[in-house]
Amino acid sequence: MNIKTDRPAPKSGLKTLAGLIPFLAPYRRQFIYAAIALVVAACATLAIPYGFRQLIDLGFTTAGSEHAASVNIYFLGLFAVACILAVATAARFYMVSWLGERVTADLRSAVYAHVVQQSPQFFETTQSGEILSRLTTDTTLIQTVVGTSISMALRNMLLLIGGLLMMFITSIKLSSIIIVMLLAVVLPIVVIGRRVRKLSRASQDRIADASGLAGEILNAVTIVQAFTHETIESRRFGNAVEQAFRSAIDRIRARSLLTVTAILLVFGAIVFVLWLGAHAVINGLMSAGELGQFILYAAIVSGAVGALSEVLGDAQRAAGASERLLELLAEHSSIQSPAMSRALPARAANGATVELSSVNFYYPSRPDTPSLSDFSLKIAAGETVAIVGPSGAGKTTLFQLLLRFYDPQQGAITLDGIDIRQLALHDLRNTIGIVPQDTVVFSANAMENIRYGRPDATDEEVIAAATLAAAHEFIVRLPEGYQSFLGERGVRLSGGQRQRIAIARALLKNPPLLLLDEATSALDAESERLVQGALEAAMVGRTTLVIAHRLATVQKATRIIVLEHGRIVETGTHASLVAVGGLYASLAALQFSLH
C-alpha cells in the first residue's frame, strides 16, 4: 500500500533526515552539552598519539633518575588524558541517548496524533498494521540515528579531520600520499551506500506489509477459525515474512559489501603508506616517535573512516524510515475545522434542528456510484425520525455526513441553522451521540468504557447511564463489577451486552442530537424490551435519527423516511406507509413474515 498525499513527496536520500529538524530543535541545550562532551572526548583521543611520541622520543632517551622521572610524568599525563576521555565519553553517551529517546517519543506522539485526526477516507486505503509498523520499527531506526549514529558520525568526523591534520604536521609527504589514495576509495563507498538506502526502504516496506497482514488477521481471528483458514493464513503470513527476510538479506548483503570495501581499501592504503614510513625511519628521515605518532593517527583516521561507513549504513536505513514517517505527517485530511469557526447557539430544551439541502455524495473509493442523490431533509428539534431502506440505500452514509466524516460533493448540511463546515469538528461532534451498529468496546474496564462518552463524568453518573441502558444488571454480575476488564474489543461480553455498553456511553454524553444505527440489532427479545424503554426515555429532550429494521422503534417515530439508491422514495408514519403499499410496506411485510 502506497500512501498518497497532496503535498510534495519528501526528498529522498540522506536529505530526508532534514525533515526531523523540527523534532530536534526544542533540545538545543542538550545538543550543545553533547557537542561539548564530544569535542572534549575527540581532543583527548587526538592527544594520546602525541603523548606516545613524547614518551618514545624523550622519555626513553633520558638517562638515570631523570629517565624514570620523565617516564612517570608522561605516563601520568596519559592517565589524566584517559580520565578526561572516559568522563567526556560517558557524558556524550548519556546526552545523545537521552536525545534519542526523547526525540523518538516526540515523533511517535506527533505521528499518532496526526493519524487519529485523519478522515475515514485515509483509512480506506491504509492498514492499521502498517501504521503500527511505522510507529515502532521506523521510529526505532530513527532512535538509533539520533541516539547513536549522529554522535558517532560527528565524533569520527572530528577524529578524521584532527587525525589528518596531525598526520600532516607529522609528515607532509606520507600524509599527501595517503590522502590521494583515500580519495580513490570514496567513489565505490558512495555508490554502494546509495544502493543500501534503496534496499533499506524496500526492507522496511516488506516488514510493514507483514505487520499489516498480521493485524488484519488477528482482528478477525474468529472468522479465520470459523472457516478453518488457520493454515492458509499462516502460510500467507509466512510468505510475507519470507519476502521481508529476503529483502532484509539483500540490504545486509549490500551493507556488508559496503563495509568490506571501505575497510579493505582504507587499510590497504594505510599499510602501504606505513611501509614507506618504516623505510624513512631506517634511512634516518624521521624518528621512531614520529613514526609511532603517525601510525596511531593513521589508525585513528582509518578507524574513523570505517566507523563513518557503518554510520552511513544506519543513516541510509533511517533515511528510509524518515521518508515513511514524513509521508504520514505530510498526509492532509480533506476534513478540517475552519480557520474561523462559528459557535453553536445555546442548546435548546428539545434538541437540535438538522437540515440537509440538495445533498449529493459519493465515496472517494467509489466515484461512479452515488450514495446520496439530491437528498433534502429537514428535522425539527425534538423530532424522532426513522431511516429505513434496503442495504446500500445510503442510511449509514447519512450518519457519516452528519458527523462530518466526509463532506458532500454538492449541497449543504446545517445544524441549528449553521452549516456544519463552519463549525469546529470538536464542537460539531460533541453535540452528537452515536450508537453504531458495529459496537466498539475498548481494552479497559466497564467503568472506563462507558466513561468514554464523557471523560469528566463521576462514577455515579456512569452507573446512572448504565442503569438507563439496561447494562447495570449484567455489569454488577461480572467478577469485579464495573472494574472488570472487558477484553480486547469486548470479547468477554455478548453482542447484546456490548451494544448496551455503547448505548450507556451515548446516554452519558447527553447530546442534543442522537444517532442510533441499528441500536437494538444484537439484542434478544428481553434485552430489546429493556433497551427500547431506555432509548425512549433517552429520546426525550433531544432530536433522534434512527436506522432500524425493528418495528418497535420505527412505529413510534415521528416520521419514517424510506431510502432507496440514495434517494427519499417515501415519507410518512408507519400506518400511512403501510397503507400506501410501497417499498416500506414490502419491507414491513417481509419482517412480519419472518416473525
Side-chain angles (χ1 to χ4, degrees):
M1 192 285 303
N2 294 321
I3 290 180
K4 297 179 180 180
T5 175
D6 296 330
R7 297 186 182 183
K11 297 179 180 179
S12 60
L14 295 179
K15 291 181 180 179
T16 305
L17 294 174
L20 300 177
I21 290 177
F23 296 95
L24 304 176
Y27 307 108
R28 295 185 185 88
R29 184 176 63 181
Q30 287 81 357
F31 273 105
I32 291 173
Y33 292 158
I36 292 172
L38 188 150
V39 170
V40 172
C43 290
T45 302
L46 293 171
I48 291 175
Y50 181 77
F52 273 105
R53 172 189 173 180
Q54 299 300 315
L55 182 65
I56 294 171
D57 284 349
L58 301 177
F60 292 156
T61 59
T62 307
S65 60
E66 293 183 4
H67 173 83
S70 297
V71 170
N72 292 340
I73 291 173
Y74 285 119
F75 272 106
L76 285 173
L78 285 174
F79 180 72
V81 171
C83 290
I84 295 173
L85 176 61
V87 173
T89 301
R92 174 189 62 83
F93 172 79
Y94 174 81
M95 290 308 307
V96 298
S97 297
W98 185 92
L99 285 166
E101 296 288 349
R102 182 67 269 167
V103 170
T104 301
D106 291 349
L107 184 60
R108 283 176 177 153
S109 297
V111 172
Y112 184 80
H114 186 72
V115 167
V116 297
Q117 295 180 36
Q118 298 302 305
S119 67
Q121 180 181 346
F122 171 81
F123 296 98
E124 287 182 12
T125 56
T126 307
Q127 291 180 313
S128 59
E130 177 167 354
I131 296 174
L132 293 176
S133 173
R134 298 191 185 198
L135 284 171
T136 53
T137 305
D138 291 354
T139 52
T140 299
L141 292 175
I142 293 173
Q143 178 183 356
T144 299
V145 169
V146 176
T148 303
S149 299
I150 291 178
S151 169
M152 293 294 292
L154 293 175
R155 174 179 177 273
N156 284 288
M157 284 296 297
L158 288 175
L159 292 178
L160 176 62
I161 295 170
L164 287 173
L165 179 62
M166 295 304 296
M167 285 170 62
F168 272 99
I169 293 174
T170 305
S171 173
I172 295 177
K173 177 182 176 181
L174 294 180
S175 299
S176 299
I177 295 173
I178 202 170
I179 287 298
V180 171
M181 297 186 70
L182 286 176
L183 290 175
V185 309
V186 169
L187 182 60
I189 292 176
V190 170
V191 171
I192 298 174
R194 288 178 177 174
R195 176 167 171 74
V196 169
R197 188 196 69 81
K198 293 179 181 178
L199 292 173
S200 296
R201 172 63 193 262
S203 176
Q204 288 150 220
D205 284 342
R206 298 294 76 75
I207 293 172
D209 291 342
S211 297
L213 177 61
E216 179 181 9
I217 298 306
L218 291 176
N219 283 332
V221 68
T222 54
I223 299 299
V224 172
Q225 293 175 355
F227 284 87
T228 65
H229 276 214
E230 296 93 334
T231 302
I232 295 174
E233 296 301 343
S234 295
R235 189 181 303 117
R236 284 181 62 201
F237 183 71
N239 291 335
V241 170
E242 281 300 313
Q243 290 180 4
F245 171 75
R246 286 192 292 270
S247 182
I249 292 301
D250 290 340
R251 170 182 56 79
I252 293 169
R253 187 180 295 115
R255 186 167 177 181
S256 299
L257 179 61
L258 174 65
T259 301
V260 71
T261 300
I263 292 176
L264 284 178
L265 293 179
V266 170
F267 273 89
I270 290 174
V271 168
F272 173 72
V273 172
L274 293 182
W275 175 76
L276 295 177
H279 280 278
V281 173
I282 293 172
N283 296 326
L285 300 177
M286 64 188 307
S287 68
E290 288 175 328
L291 179 59
Q293 176 177 296
F294 188 86
I295 291 173
L296 290 175
Y297 281 126
I300 289 174
V301 169
S302 63
V305 173
L308 285 172
S309 69
E310 286 285 329
V311 169
L312 180 62
D314 287 336
Q316 297 285 7
R317 292 186 68 197
S322 299
E323 187 175 351
R324 287 156 49 86
L325 287 168
L326 293 175
E327 281 178 354
L328 278 180
L329 289 174
E331 272 293 322
H332 178 74
S333 176
S334 58
I335 306 299
Q336 298 279 347
S337 293
M340 297 293 291
S341 60
R342 294 182 60 181
L344 282 166
R347 177 175 177 174
N350 57 346
T353 301
V354 179
E355 183 173 3
L356 296 91
S357 304
S358 303
V359 169
N360 289 282
F361 174 74
Y362 55 81
Y363 288 98
S365 57
R366 304 190 298 274
D368 299 326
T369 306
S371 295
L372 291 178
S373 298
D374 196 26
F375 187 96
S376 295
L377 176 66
K378 185 171 184 179
I379 304 169
E383 195 174 6
T384 297
V385 176
I387 311 294
V388 301
S391 179
K395 303 184 297 295
T396 301
T397 298
L398 175 60
F399 280 16
Q400 292 184 320
L401 292 178
L402 289 173
L403 285 160
R404 210 179 161 220
F405 289 155
Y406 298 90
D407 281 335
Q409 281 76 29
Q410 288 90 33
I413 303 172
T414 62
L415 181 68
D416 287 336
I418 301 176
D419 192 317
I420 62 173
R421 286 170 291 195
Q422 298 177 358
L423 299 173
L425 288 174
H426 179 271
D427 293 343
L428 168 66
R429 294 169 183 170
N430 208 37
T431 64
I432 301 174
I434 183 168
V435 179
Q437 184 175 7
D438 297 323
T439 304
V440 175
V441 176
F442 299 99
S443 298
N445 60 41
M447 180 71 72
E448 294 307 314
N449 260 286
I450 297 174
R451 188 178 274 126
Y452 201 84
R454 183 156 57 87
D456 60 349
T458 64
D459 289 356
E460 291 73 21
E461 290 173 323
V462 170
I463 293 171
T467 303
L468 191 61
H472 177 73
E473 185 177 353
F474 82 79
I475 291 176
V476 295
R477 289 201 304 265
L478 294 174
E480 298 178 47
Y482 280 85
Q483 301 304 315
S484 297
F485 177 69
L486 302 183
E488 185 175 6
R489 294 180 290 119
V491 295
R492 299 179 65 184
L493 302 178
S494 68
Q497 289 172 336
R498 287 197 296 271
Q499 207 147 23
R500 280 180 276 172
I501 291 287
I503 293 170
R505 185 186 297 156
L507 295 178
L508 181 65
K509 188 176 183 180
N510 190 28
L513 176 60
L514 184 62
L515 308 180
L516 305 177
D517 188 353
E518 298 284 9
T520 60
S521 63
L523 304 182
D524 55 39
E526 177 62 21
S527 295
E528 182 181 5
R529 183 185 63 80
L530 294 171
V531 172
Q532 193 59 52
L535 289 177
E536 290 173 10
M539 292 175 188
V540 176
R542 74 185 83 246
T543 305
T544 307
L545 272 72
V546 184
I547 295 176
H549 294 152
R550 301 282 185 99
L551 296 184
T553 302
V554 171
Q555 287 176 321
K556 296 181 181 180
T558 310
R559 273 188 296 161
I560 299 172
I561 307 296
V562 185
L563 296 184
E564 187 176 29
H565 303 305
R567 295 178 180 271
I568 298 177
V569 294
E570 297 177 13
T571 302
T573 63
H574 171 73
S576 65
L577 291 175
V578 169
V580 169
L583 177 60
Y584 178 83
S586 63
L587 292 174
L590 177 63
Q591 186 173 131
F592 278 126
S593 68
L594 295 176
H595 282 275

